[in-house]
Amino acid sequence: MSTLARPAALHAGSPGHQQGMVVLIALVMLVAMTMAGLTMMRGTGTGLGIAGNLAFKQTATSVADVGVENAIAWLTNPLRTSEVLKTDDTAAGYYSSWATDFSPMTYDWTNSKLLTADDGLGNEVRYVVHRLCETAGLAPNAVLQKCATVNTPCASCSKGGDASSLIDSVQPYYRITSRVRGPRNTVSYVQVIMY
């Protein structure tokens, strides 16, 4: 009898009688691990894309300062007297009235000063300057003119008389708007008010 029990024990452990549960569990685990790996790759790719877009936006914003600085240099040129600044200079992106309907996002930027089409990083820089006065062609202190102005005190004027005799000049404010269009459709605006 002992000879018969032995072959039966060997026969029960042979591969033909196994049910395949280990293989099924291993396949399920492989599918789960593959899905987790794909999810992690996709999440990492999205994070890198967002970080890249933020980097492009920050670069575009810092490049917009170049447009502002060039507009300030244009405005403060000694050749541009208050008489010259009473009229528009569209080639330079200068407008002598405030354009109450001006919005950087809807403005036709072909009517602005192109500073550079490509700064080496793929950024296009443009700017526009508005004198903050209602009517073009009039001096800031004209009778029918409405302007946002600052009055400069007169150091050499006498103290007698009314307060208007102590004012040396009326200086209008200017609004400078710089736009940068960069890679990946990045658009950034910087706006400065100065006098």
Side-chain angles (χ1 to χ4, degrees):
M1 243 193 206
S2 65
T3 56
L4 290 176
R6 190 174 221 179
L10 289 173
H11 186 58
S14 68
H17 284 40
Q18 290 182 359
Q19 300 298 318
M21 285 304 280
V22 173
V23 174
L24 181 64
I25 291 171
L27 285 175
V28 169
M29 291 303 290
L30 280 173
V31 169
M33 287 172 49
T34 302
M35 297 301 270
L38 289 173
T39 303
M40 286 177 53
M41 283 178 52
R42 191 171 188 173
T44 302
T46 303
L48 289 174
I50 290 171
N53 289 342
L54 284 173
F56 280 120
K57 184 72 169 174
Q58 288 175 343
T59 301
T61 302
S62 65
V63 170
D65 288 340
V66 174
V68 170
E69 292 299 324
N70 277 277
I72 290 171
W74 185 88
L75 267 175
T76 58
N77 184 328
L79 298 176
R80 290 191 183 72
T81 62
S82 60
E83 189 63 31
V84 171
L85 293 174
K86 286 192 323 187
T87 57
D88 293 348
D89 185 352
T90 56
Y94 175 75
Y95 297 91
S96 60
S97 63
W98 55 40
T100 55
D101 60 342
F102 177 77
S103 170
M105 290 181 273
T106 59
Y107 182 69
D108 180 10
W109 283 92
T110 58
N111 299 323
S112 62
K113 173 69 174 173
L114 174 64
L115 190 58
T116 179
D118 186 354
D119 66 346
L121 298 173
N123 295 307
E124 175 194 75
V125 182
R126 292 181 172 268
Y127 69 83
V128 65
V129 179
H130 290 99
R131 181 179 74 154
L132 296 183
C133 292
E134 183 176 57
T135 309
L138 294 178
N141 57 354
V143 175
L144 298 176
Q145 182 68 282
K146 293 179 184 173
C147 289
T149 60
V150 62
N151 298 327
T152 307
C154 180
S156 62
C157 297
S158 66
K159 300 290 184 190
D162 60 359
S164 64
S165 66
L166 300 176
I167 297 172
D168 186 32
S169 67
V170 176
Q171 176 66 40
Y173 284 95
Y174 297 92
R175 178 181 59 215
I176 300 169
T177 308
S178 178
R179 184 198 73 172
V180 176
R181 184 183 314 167
R184 294 188 188 178
N185 295 323
T186 303
V187 179
S188 186
Y189 303 98
V190 172
Q191 202 167 62
V192 174
I193 305 290
M194 63 168 286
Y195 66 90

